[in-house]
Amino acid sequence: MILVNKETKVIVQGATGKMGATHTKRMLDYGTKVVAGVTPGKGGETIHGVPVYDTVAEAVRATGADCSVSFVPPYLALDGGCEAIDAGVGLVCVITEGIPPNDTAKLVAEAKRKGIQLVGPNCPGIISPGASLIGILPGNIFKPGKIGMISRSGTLTYEIALALSENGQGQSTCVGIGGDPVKGMGNLELLSMFNDDPGTELIVLIGEIGGTAEEEAAAYIKKNIRKPVVAYIAGQTAPPGKRMGHAGAVIEGGKGTAESKMKAFKEVGIEVAVTPIEVVELVNKAAKQLVSK
């Protein structure tokens, strides 16, 4: 597994808001070590038995937390993220959607400057099944196993993970990187981490139309990744000019199409599923090839 494990101590920023409170409870029920909540002005209260602090720095000093997950409103997300970075947590996961791209760019730059791992924004979070769940993913559909997953789409993460789990193919870690054009960790960093992870044997990469991240990933995989990769591109049937749900799913000048991304993967020998359910068939095929080696 990568990024999170059973020992990860989590702070929830915005823990007393509707979303924060709901998912604090779900993370606790899953077994995640949620050690503190943070809401300015509500220090001293508790949420589902978890102590709430006014600042991230106070929460880190009191609990030794090493991860923050943020549910704060978009207009406060930059300040909240920078506060977590300054407090010294090593991993910041921003669930909030609708953050202005300029704010996200500043947050990404600050995380890189301080050497902090940033996942999101506008993402479902991270799960290492059976160990820790950070964010809003439905934990019951994931099973422990040896498949690493990287995805721009929360819903497709759930659909494909469920299909894999029902087929007996569990996951080491699943990371939703979010659908915004400006984001923290992307395909290349996570491919590298899964490649080095002894608990991951095979990688599923779920991309979508828009941008060039998948084309860059294909070139990176060819040069650097030793493990089998199975890909799926969402938006294959999107009609031209149709507005898609993700801000990053924008096709400009014919670039970023599903065809160009699938072609890039196939040219370097990566199996590409035509439908989400076909990912399971390709994973089974790759797993059999691993066993036969």
Side-chain angles (χ1 to χ4, degrees):
M1 60 185 69
I2 64 171
L3 294 175
V4 297
N5 56 46
K6 284 185 176 179
E7 304 308 316
T8 302
K9 294 182 179 179
V10 182
I11 288 170
V12 181
Q13 291 181 262
T16 58
K18 183 177 179 181
M19 285 288 289
T22 297
H23 290 286
T24 294
K25 178 69 164 55
R26 290 179 180 174
M27 286 187 279
L28 286 165
D29 289 345
Y30 191 79
T32 303
K33 282 191 175 180
V34 180
V35 296
V38 172
T39 300
K42 296 197 175 181
E45 298 184 8
T46 61
I47 183 80
H48 304 305
V50 174
V52 176
Y53 298 85
D54 287 320
T55 69
V56 179
E58 289 178 290
V60 169
R61 280 197 298 271
T63 65
D66 48 15
C67 171
S68 168
V69 58
S70 177
F71 292 93
V72 304
Y75 63 94
L76 294 172
L78 173 58
D79 287 346
C82 288
E83 184 186 347
I85 291 169
D86 289 343
V89 299
L91 171 65
V92 177
C93 182
V94 182
I95 307 300
T96 309
E97 64 177 317
I99 300 174
N102 194 40
D103 283 4
T104 303
K106 291 177 181 176
L107 182 58
V108 170
E110 183 66 5
K112 287 183 177 177
R113 192 173 73 84
K114 296 281 184 66
I116 302 299
Q117 294 172 321
L118 173 69
V119 174
N122 188 18
C123 76
I126 310 159
I127 183 168
S128 291
S132 187
L133 185 164
I134 313 293
I136 62 174
L137 301 109
N140 61 305
I141 66 172
F142 296 86
K143 303 296 180 186
K146 297 183 177 179
I147 298 174
M149 290 182 63
I150 308 166
S151 178
R152 287 172 66 179
S153 166
T155 305
L156 282 171
T157 306
Y158 312 155
E159 183 175 348
I160 292 173
L162 176 60
L164 289 168
S165 295
E166 290 178 338
N167 187 58
Q169 298 281 9
Q171 306 87 46
S172 54
T173 300
C174 302
V175 186
I177 61 175
D180 283 3
V182 181
K183 60 173 68 72
M185 299 183 76
N187 292 328
L188 307 193
E189 298 101 315
L190 294 166
L191 282 165
S192 176
M193 294 178 77
F194 278 130
N195 194 52
D196 294 337
D197 174 33
T200 299
E201 291 186 348
L202 190 151
I203 303 166
V204 172
L205 195 158
I206 305 167
E208 65 180 7
I209 58 173
T212 58
E214 289 78 10
E215 289 88 340
E216 293 164 8
Y220 183 83
I221 289 166
K222 182 181 180 181
K223 288 185 179 179
N224 301 286
I225 304 301
R226 304 183 305 276
K227 298 177 180 178
V229 178
V230 171
Y232 174 73
I233 302 296
Q236 295 173 34
T237 58
K242 179 71 174 179
R243 181 184 178 90
M244 300 292 288
H246 282 172
V250 178
I251 297 174
E252 295 177 291
K255 294 182 178 178
T257 64
E259 291 77 13
S260 69
K261 295 173 185 296
M262 295 170 73
K263 182 172 180 285
F265 282 131
K266 290 176 180 176
E267 284 179 348
V268 298
I270 297 170
E271 296 270 20
V272 184
V274 176
T275 63
I277 197 66
E278 193 184 358
V279 171
V280 176
E281 299 171 22
L282 297 181
V283 165
N284 283 338
K285 179 181 173 183
K288 287 178 182 176
Q289 291 173 345
L290 280 175
V291 171
S292 65
K293 284 184 179 179

